Structure formats: structure tokens, C-alpha cells
């Protein structure tokens, strides 16, 4: 426009205007070629430079690398003279001395809401007033979300976790059918695309604001990441949290057979089924008991039934309630790439895969019992999930004589089944800890309020006495007012916890490692012919390109699984009470109940982000910039995962999504005695 502002019309959102403060010109000389009294605005089209990339004719005169050509190479003709395009940027150039800083000011506003005042007023006292007011409003809002008693340093972590979550939101457009067919105005895509990646997902129509794992490094959704995002998100935007969870269950995301899309580069991949758990937790987080959003819960439950059925039919190939195949969220933690045929032949019987399904069952049982309190029809579904869980728990504990439990080691392992031979793959990893997650405590009063469900439960219990022996998945407390549903019985729970709480195995100063540290000196090795397959403890970044090489579950600390383990310990304590105590850490002689241990693990996880007496936050490693520089020391990065020995952040540095679970842990530390 004549005043140097930019008019931005956008269908559905109205017309906006972007304005640069005229005072900006006093901070920096005008760009070369700019007329006196104006701001140099670069404008081009957001179109690929086909001529440079493909050797074909460009669709437009000005393409997306026009800024680069203009700014770096001085090609003024690379940007539009008319000022019309789909990409723009104000351009200043200046030289800064070391330590010098400048501030440029801009405003964006909707013209149909407010009539633009003169530029001087836009950037006068009103600008400072508006900026100050926004800061005040943000602080006022977060005061309602912060837990009582939070320290100043914890507050910094909480606020930046929330800001990071909001930053992960972005518009995501991926219409698979159009991507497969190609743009009618562009060269057709290769024929292989029609039968390649995502070709079976023609119904997928993504045109939404989504929460991304990391907008900088992973600017696409990942369904199981999103599930974890929504718990901390529920603290700052409960509506978005519920809407986001329902969105992935809608017919333009979920396939007709009930499968949820995994992520853009392989929609067919299989991740741990945590969506129902996220729905159930967000339901409870976003409302006080008796005032919760039952419509949200019921609507999500209907679609989750389809997804659960897909899992049962897709991942239990032999009908034995032993599940296998995929679960690529933990892909490189095992001996073999579980997304490919095994080099040995046969198939894997997965301790984590089976446990995830037991966990899914219990979550659906809890939801159906909640819904049945107002609509007894849901008691029928509760019966189905109760029976299915007991059968899965019996399979992981007893199938084939010992299930996936190794009595000699006292741990759950994957097993390689070759014909009639079972070979335990003795890697001590999260694979053997995930069975602990499948635990739920049922209130006897709630059960008795549903007489039909209680009757069917008694009938099933009496009919299947084979499932209710000493190693049963169902345990009743002596007082009779609670029932525990869990995969490990009391003895197996204690034996597994000995490993998990051993600082020479899983317990790090900063949380629970994903692989036991014993494998640093004693890697697990499996030979097939002349090939060697091994698993060794790697506390930080991956040291190989194994299974893609862009992440490493073999030793670091991951927040999503740590969070689930903390929750599980709390549920075990709810049933067993203070009298059930184990050594913490293993070998220390110090006895604690499971609630105390859950709290200690949460404190270790939170400590990753808190400064020590020297100002060093473990997540930043030994970089002195973050410990000493006043401009950097309060900046907290929420990494993808953390070094198993020193807590240093690894992987994507802005993966606030699931690492923002630290704010939920802090809340628990201040709300739990």
C-alpha cells in the first residue's frame, strides 16, 4: 500500500494489515534500492523454482527463493515490483557491534475490527500499552493454571512448557487423494506414488490446526505424540485438548476399519495405543468429579471401540491374546526391526505389544464403567473389557507354560517363536517394564451400583477358575472394597521393581532409562547364520543408523514412558497402600511405599530442568552459555529425550509436546502429599 503497509486478504479469516514502524528506519539504513521515506518490502510467490530444481518452466515469474536471490545476490528483479504475492518480508540491513541489540516493531490487525489509525499512533503509547497489556494478561491467565506452592524456578519451567505447547500448533494441510493424483497444473507425479507410501489412505483429509511434535524439526503430526501433548495442554486450553483428541477419531482421519494414522511419512505405521488413555485422562483433568464433560467421553468412546477392534483383529494373528507386529514408537529398542520380516523366520511374541493391549483394555473398562453410572447399557461393554483383559493378562503370564515371564530372571521378555520353539530375547528394556502399566483399581461400590455388570463378573470368575489362581490378573483386597486388575501379581511386581529401581540397571539420577545400563558392559547378542544382532546401552545419541538412526531408545530417558510408569506406581499404591514397601534405590536398605517412590522418580525427572547451585540445568549439558549468560540462562529447551547419565537434552530441541509432561509432574508434586 502507499503507506508501506501490507494488505493480507485470507478467505474465511477476513482482511488483515501488516505495518512496520517508520522508526525502524532510524535503527537501520534503508535497503539498497529503496526510495527515501519508505520501507523496503520484498514480495514473491511461494512456488518452487522448477527451473532450478527440475529444469522445467516456472509457473510464476517470481518464485520462493526470490528473497535469497535479492538479499544475498542483489538481484532486485527476483522479487515483485508490483508488491503482489504470497510471501513478503520487510528488509533492513545493518551492522551490529558485539553485545549490541536493536528492536524492530510491527503490528498486525484485522481491518474489519478496527480502523487503522495513523502510523505514529499505531507505534506510539498505544503500542507500548497493548504490549504491556498482553504480558499482563498472559501472566494473569497462567496464575489460574499454576499449582499452589510452586517455586520461582519451577514456575519458569511451567510457563515455558505452556508457551512451547502453544508454539507447536500449526496449520497442517495434507489431502492424500490430491497428493497421489498430483496438481493438475503441474507435471504429473511418478506412477509409483499411486501404489507407494500412504496410497491406501485416500480418505485422509488434513486441513486443521494440529499440535506437532516439534514445529522446527518434525512439522507433521504423530498420533501417539499428540495423545501425550493433550495432558499438559488440558491445563491451558481444555477445549483444544478435547477437540484435538476427537479430531483424530473423525472419519477423515480414522480409516473405516478403525486404524488411526501414525504420521505423514508412513500413515500405516503402528504406534502404542495410548489415545484412549489420553481421552480418559483429559476427561478427568478438565472437570471436577460430577462436573466432567460426559458428552466428550461418550463421543470418543464410540470411535475408540472401532480402533480397539482393529487392534484385536490386526495384531493378534494366532488368537492367543499375545500381540505382535509394529509398535514402532519403541522401534530400535529390540534385537530386530519389528517393522520388517524376521531374519530368522517365525514371529515375535511381544511383551510390550501384549501389555499395551492389556493397558488399552483397562482404559476402555474404566471409561465404560464411568459411562455406565448414568447409562447402564455401557455395563455390557465393561463386561467385555473385563473379560478380555483377564484373558490377555493370563496369556502374558501363563501361555505356553510361562507366558512371556522369565521365572529365572524375574522379568518379562519378548519371545521369538520358531515352529514349536520359544526363545526368550533377554534384553532388559522398557519392553519388560511396560507390563507394569496395565493396572487399574476398581471401586467395589461402583461395581455394586451396576448389578448386571457385577453379576456377569461373578459368573465369569466362577466359570473360569483357571484364570483366577495364585498368578491371576485379578486380586481382591482383604477389606473387600477395592479390586486390582494388573498383569504382574504382587511377587512379580516386586521382582520387576528390583530392576527398575536399581541405579545400575534402569534408575538414573534423572528418571527411568529405556534400557538397563548392564547392557553397556554386557550387550545382548543374537546370531543368525553369519549375522550378529545386538542390543547395547547407549545413553545419548544413537551411534548407528539402525532402524533409521534418527532416534535412540537404547538407554536415554523419555518422558512419555516415565510419566506412564509414575502413574502406574500411584495406582498400585492406591490398592496396596503404605504397607507395601520395596527398596529404593535397590540395595540401599531404604524402604519406601510406591507413592513415595513415584514422587522420587517425578522429582528426578523435574530436576532435568532446574538449575543447580552453579546455575547449570542438566538439560543444557555443560554449555556455560545457558548457565551464566543473562540473556540465555532463563531459556529452557524441551528436548525429545535425555541422556541416561547426565540428563543432557538430545534429539529435537523443541519437542515441547510430550516433554511438557514435566508440568504435569510438577503439579503432582505440589498436589500430592
Amino acid at each position: 500500500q502507499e503507506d508501506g503497509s501490507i494488505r493480507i486478504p485470507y478467505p474465511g479469516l477476513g482482511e488483515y494489515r501488516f505495518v512496520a514502524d517508520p522508526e525502524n528506519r532510524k535503527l537501520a539504513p534503508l535497503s539498497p534500492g529503496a526510495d527515501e521515506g519508505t520501507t523496503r518490502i520484498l514480495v514473491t510467490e511461494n512456488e518452487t523454482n522448477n527451473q532450478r530444481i527440475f529444469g522445467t518452466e516456472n509457473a510464476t515469474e517470481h518464485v520462493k527463493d526470490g528473497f535469497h536471490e535479492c538479499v544475498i545476490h542483489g538481484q532486485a528483479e527476483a522479487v515483485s515490483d508490483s508488491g503482489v504475492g504470497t510471501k513478503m518480508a520487510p528488509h533492513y540491513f545493518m551492522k551490529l557491534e558485539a553485545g549490541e541489540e536493536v528492536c524492530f516493531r510491527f503490528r498486525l490487525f484485522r481491518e474489519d475490527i478496527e480502523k487503522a489509525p495513523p502510523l505514529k499512533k499505531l507505534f506510539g503509547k498505544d503500542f507500548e500499552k497493548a504490549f504491556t497489556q498482553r504480558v499482563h494478561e498472559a501472566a494473569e491467565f497462567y496464575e489460574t493454571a499454576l499449582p499452589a506452592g510452586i517455586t520461582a524456578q519451577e514456575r519458569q519451567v511451567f510457563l515455558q512448557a505452556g508457551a512451547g505447547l502453544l508454539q507447536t500448533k500449526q496449520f497442517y494441510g495434507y489431502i492424500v487423494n490430491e497428493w497421489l493424483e498430483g496438481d493438475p497444473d503441474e507435471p504429473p507425479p511418478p506412477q509409483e506414488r499411486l501404489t507407494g507410501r500412504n496410497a491406501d489412505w485416500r480418505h485422509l483429509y488434513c486441513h486443521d490446526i494440529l499440535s506437532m511434535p516439534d514445529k522446527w524439526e518434525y512439522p507433521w503430526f504423530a498420533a501417539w505424540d499428540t495423545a501425550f501433548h493433550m495432558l499438559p495442554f488440558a491445563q491451558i486450553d481444555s477445549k483444544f485438548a478435547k477437540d484435538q483428541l476427537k479430531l483424530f477419531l473423525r472419519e477423515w482421519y480414522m480409516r473405516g476399519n478403525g486404524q488411526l494414522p501414525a504420521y505423514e511419512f508412513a500413515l500405516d505405521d503402528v504406534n502404542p495405543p495410548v489415545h484412549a488413555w489420553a481421552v480418559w485422562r483429559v476427561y478427568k483433568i478438565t472437570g471436577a468429579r460430577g462436573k466432567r464433560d460426559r458428552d466428550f467421553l461418550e463421543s470418543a468412546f464410540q470411535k475408540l471401540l472401532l480402533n480397539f477392534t482393529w487392534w484385536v483383529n490386526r495384531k493378534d494373528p494366532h488368537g492367543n491374546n499375545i500381540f505382535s507386529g509394529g509398535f514402532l514408537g519403541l522401534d530400535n529398542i529390540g534385537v530386530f526391526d519389528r517393522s520388517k520380516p524376521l531374519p530368522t523366520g517365525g514371529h515375535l511374541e511381544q511383551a510390550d505389544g501384549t501389555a499395551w493391549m492389556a493397558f488399552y483394555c483397562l482404559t476402555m473398562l474404566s471409561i465404560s464403567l464411568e459411562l455406565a453410572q448414568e447409562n447402564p447399557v455401557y455395563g455390557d461393554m465393561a463386561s467385555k473389557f473385563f473379560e478380555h483383559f483377564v484373558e490377555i493378562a493370563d496369556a502374558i503370564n501363563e501361555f505356553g507354560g510361562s507366558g512371556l515371564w522369565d521365572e529365572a530372571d524375574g522379568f518379562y521378555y519378548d519371545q521369538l517363536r520358531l515352529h514349536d520353539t520359544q526363545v526368550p530375547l533377554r534384553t532388559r528394556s522398557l519392553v519388560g517394564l511396560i507390563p507394569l502399566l496395565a493396572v487399574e483399581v476398581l471401586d467395589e461400590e461402583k461395581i455394586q451400583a451396576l448389578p448386571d455388570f457385577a453379576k456377569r463378573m461373578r459368573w465369569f470368575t466362577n466359570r473360569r477358575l483357571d484364570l483366577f489362581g495364585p498368578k491371576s490378573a485379578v486380586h481382591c483386597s482383604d477389606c473387600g472394597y477395592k479390586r486390582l486388575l494388573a498383569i504382574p501379581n504382587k511377587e512379580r511386581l516386586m521382582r520387576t521393581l528390583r530392576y527398575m529401581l536399581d541405579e545400575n540397571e534402569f534408575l538414573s539420577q534423572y528418571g527411568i532409562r529405556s534400557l538397563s545400563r548392564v547392557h553397556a558392559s554386557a550387550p545382548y547378542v543374537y546370531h543368525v547364520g553369519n549375522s550378529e544382532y545386538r542390543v547395547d546401552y547407549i545413553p545419548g545419541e544413537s551411534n548407528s543408523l539402525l532402524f533409521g538412526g534418527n532416534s535412540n531408545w537404547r538407554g536415554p530417558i523419555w518422558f512419555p514412558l516415565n510419566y506412564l510408569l509414575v502413574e502406574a506406581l500411584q495406582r498400585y499404591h492406591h490398592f496396596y497402600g503404605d504397607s507395601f514397601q520395596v527398596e529404593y534405590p535397590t540395595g540401599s536398605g531404604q524402604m519406601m511405599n510406591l507413592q513415595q517412590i513415584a514422587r522420587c522418580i517425578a522429582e528426578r525427572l523435574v530436576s532435568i530442568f532446574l538449575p543447580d547451585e552453579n546455575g547449570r540445568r542438566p538439560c543444557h549439558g555443560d554449555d556455560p552459555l545457558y548457565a551464566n549468560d543473562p540473556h540465555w540462562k532463563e531459556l529452557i529447551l524441551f528436548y525429545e529425550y535425555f541422556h541416561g547419565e547426565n540428563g543432557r537434552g538430545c534429539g529435537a530441541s523443541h519437542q515441547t509436546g510430550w516433554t511438557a509432561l514435566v508440568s504435569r509432574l510438577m503439579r503432582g508434586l505440589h498436589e500430592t502429599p
Side-chain angles (χ1 to χ4, degrees):
Q1 304 298 302
E2 290 183 1
D3 60 2
S5 66
I6 302 295
R7 189 172 66 87
I8 311 172
Y10 194 90
L13 293 181
E15 188 164 297
Y16 284 76
R17 191 164 292 236
F18 179 85
V19 185
D21 184 357
E23 296 295 310
N24 290 348
R25 295 196 301 274
K26 296 180 180 179
L27 301 174
L30 290 174
S31 308
D35 296 329
E36 184 64 35
T38 67
T39 299
R40 172 69 163 162
I41 302 293
L42 306 183
V43 179
T44 188
E45 299 290 348
N46 191 34
E47 298 291 339
T48 298
N49 189 337
N50 290 324
Q51 187 174 29
R52 170 174 288 178
I53 303 300
F54 304 112
T56 59
E57 185 178 353
N58 283 329
T60 61
E61 180 182 359
H62 301 104
V63 290
K64 65 168 59 178
D65 60 356
F67 290 172
H68 177 85
E69 293 301 312
C70 179
V71 174
I72 303 301
H73 299 299
Q75 302 296 322
E77 68 278 5
V79 294
S80 171
D81 288 334
S82 66
V84 176
T86 51
K87 288 180 66 174
M88 75 87 189
H91 179 212
Y92 306 93
F93 75 98
M94 64 185 309
K95 181 178 181 180
L96 293 178
E97 299 298 332
E100 186 181 0
E101 62 182 49
V102 296
C103 178
F104 292 91
R105 302 194 299 179
F106 306 91
R107 291 196 70 162
L108 176 71
F109 55 90
R110 275 180 59 174
E111 287 199 318
D112 57 347
I113 292 179
E114 52 182 302
K115 183 175 176 62
L119 288 183
K120 284 188 177 181
K121 189 171 184 181
L122 271 175
F123 295 98
K125 293 181 180 179
D126 287 351
F127 184 92
E128 299 301 332
K129 180 180 178 181
F131 200 88
T132 302
Q133 185 177 351
R134 296 292 92 80
V135 172
H136 174 74
E137 289 170 349
E140 188 176 42
F141 168 76
Y142 275 108
E143 285 303 321
T144 66
L146 289 164
I150 193 169
T151 68
Q153 284 297 338
E154 289 172 333
R155 188 178 189 276
Q156 281 290 96
V157 177
F158 193 102
L159 295 181
Q160 292 190 49
L165 282 172
L166 295 174
Q167 172 67 18
T168 66
K169 291 171 63 175
Q170 74 171 35
F171 171 76
Y172 182 74
Y174 181 33
I175 302 168
V176 172
N177 193 53
E178 294 182 4
W179 176 75
L180 291 172
E181 298 292 340
D183 192 321
D185 297 327
E186 299 289 338
Q191 280 295 112
E192 300 81 51
R193 183 182 294 185
L194 295 175
T195 55
R197 178 173 65 92
N198 299 338
D200 294 334
W201 288 79
R202 283 182 175 266
H203 77 285
L204 191 78
Y205 195 100
C206 303
H207 194 265
D208 301 285
I209 301 294
L210 300 181
S211 179
M212 303 302 178
D214 180 338
K215 189 187 291 187
W216 291 16
E217 297 187 55
Y218 299 122
W220 32 256
F221 75 83
W224 86 302
D225 292 57
T226 299
F228 289 109
H229 297 189
M230 292 307 113
L231 271 70
F233 234 123
Q235 301 173 140
I236 57 176
D237 191 342
S238 60
K239 184 179 185 302
F240 178 79
K242 289 184 283 188
D243 288 348
Q244 192 85 161
L245 289 170
K246 287 194 297 183
L247 180 64
F248 280 87
L249 299 171
R250 298 304 297 266
E251 58 273 18
W252 54 90
Y253 281 83
M254 176 188 279
R255 290 181 72 174
N257 61 7
Q259 184 180 9
L260 292 179
Y263 26 65
E264 176 186 306
F265 60 84
L267 296 170
D268 264 330
D269 267 0
V270 183
N271 292 151
V274 293
H275 208 86
W277 165 80
V279 166
W280 178 230
R281 295 295 290 117
V282 166
Y283 167 75
K284 292 194 286 187
I285 289 169
T286 55
R289 190 182 298 274
K291 298 181 180 180
R292 292 168 177 163
D293 189 346
R294 298 180 70 85
D295 288 343
F296 159 69
L297 186 66
E298 187 170 10
S299 172
F301 181 74
Q302 302 295 337
K303 291 295 188 71
L304 288 167
L305 289 173
L306 297 175
N307 182 246
F308 183 87
T309 302
W310 177 84
W311 275 101
V312 171
N313 292 335
R314 173 73 174 81
K315 294 300 173 186
D316 181 17
H318 302 285
N320 298 321
N321 290 303
I322 298 290
F323 294 82
S324 61
F327 296 91
L328 296 182
L330 312 174
D331 45 14
N332 60 21
I333 204 170
V335 181
F336 305 115
D337 187 341
R338 296 192 289 188
S339 66
K340 297 179 180 179
L342 298 176
T344 59
H347 66 274
L348 280 179
E349 294 176 339
Q350 294 175 208
D352 59 337
T354 305
W356 280 122
M357 284 307 297
F359 177 71
Y360 199 169
C361 260
L362 286 180
T363 305
M364 294 295 277
L365 170 61
S366 297
I367 295 175
S368 53
L369 285 174
E370 174 75 4
L371 295 173
Q373 300 304 306
E374 292 188 7
N375 186 348
V377 169
Y378 285 101
D380 293 341
M381 296 307 303
S383 297
K384 177 260 183 295
F385 288 113
F386 170 75
E387 295 178 13
H388 202 152
F389 167 75
V390 172
E391 290 173 344
I392 294 174
D394 179 71
I396 195 172
N397 284 312
E398 296 292 327
F399 179 72
S402 61
L404 303 182
W405 173 259
D406 188 286
E407 182 62 27
D409 286 6
F411 204 71
Y412 290 98
Y413 294 124
D414 281 354
Q415 290 187 1
L416 176 62
R417 181 173 285 273
L418 298 169
H419 306 295
D420 295 328
T421 304
Q422 291 174 274
V423 181
L425 302 175
R426 289 187 169 89
T427 58
R428 285 203 288 278
S429 71
L430 281 173
V431 165
L433 298 182
I434 288 173
L436 303 188
L437 304 182
V439 53
E440 194 61 70
V441 181
L442 303 186
D443 188 317
E444 191 68 21
E445 184 179 351
K446 183 177 284 190
I447 292 174
Q448 296 308 319
L450 301 168
D452 288 342
F453 170 75
K455 179 180 178 181
R456 286 191 294 271
M457 188 170 68
R458 287 193 300 270
W459 177 86
F460 181 74
T461 304
N462 293 332
R463 178 173 172 269
R464 295 298 307 274
L465 295 176
D466 57 310
L467 300 179
F468 293 87
K471 298 176 181 177
S472 165
V474 181
H475 313 282
C476 295
S477 63
D478 294 334
C479 59
Y481 65 87
K482 288 182 292 188
R483 293 174 184 258
L484 177 71
L485 301 180
I487 284 180
N489 61 17
K490 199 171 188 177
E491 177 197 358
R492 292 184 177 181
L493 173 62
M494 292 182 71
R495 295 185 71 184
T496 305
L497 288 176
R498 287 194 189 105
Y499 290 112
M500 189 178 103
L501 304 179
D502 187 336
E503 292 180 315
N504 294 315
E505 296 256 3
F506 288 99
L507 183 62
S508 162
Q509 184 180 345
Y510 302 101
I512 303 299
R513 304 178 180 100
S514 55
L515 189 71
S516 171
R517 193 167 67 171
V518 300
H519 292 304
S521 57
Y524 178 78
V525 180
Y526 189 89
H527 291 94
V528 180
N530 295 323
S531 299
E532 178 183 279
Y533 297 85
R534 61 188 287 138
V535 176
D536 45 9
Y537 174 75
I538 305 167
E541 293 85 354
S542 179
N543 62 359
S544 75
L545 296 178
L546 188 68
F547 308 161
N550 63 343
S551 69
N552 177 28
W553 284 89
R554 296 192 170 196
I557 294 156
W558 294 79
F559 260 78
L561 273 297
N562 270 262
Y563 187 86
L564 290 174
L565 285 167
V566 168
E567 277 199 347
L569 291 175
Q570 292 169 340
R571 293 196 294 275
Y572 282 113
H573 176 264
H574 180 56
F575 177 76
Y576 287 120
D578 292 342
S579 62
F580 181 82
Q581 297 192 349
V582 296
E583 271 190 312
Y584 178 87
T586 299
S588 67
Q590 177 178 257
M591 305 300 290
M592 289 189 179
N593 65 48
L594 298 186
Q595 177 65 51
Q596 292 170 326
I597 292 172
R599 183 179 183 87
C600 287
I601 294 173
E603 288 172 345
R604 293 187 182 216
L605 291 160
V606 170
S607 74
I608 291 173
F609 301 95
L610 299 179
D612 61 17
E613 62 277 7
N614 298 315
R616 174 188 173 271
R617 301 177 195 268
C619 62
H620 291 147
D622 293 322
D623 189 335
L625 185 72
Y626 291 99
N628 304 318
D629 191 305
H631 299 289
W632 291 83
K633 64 185 302 181
E634 299 303 328
L635 174 63
I636 303 168
L637 298 179
F638 295 82
Y639 286 85
E640 187 177 1
Y641 55 97
F642 300 86
H643 196 282
E645 302 306 311
N646 57 36
R648 175 178 57 82
C650 306
S653 60
H654 294 79
Q655 188 121 351
T656 318
W658 64 19
T659 303
L661 286 165
V662 66
S663 65
R664 291 292 307 163
L665 292 171
M666 286 194 298
R667 180 177 294 280
L669 290 174
H670 286 281
E671 293 179 350
T672 304

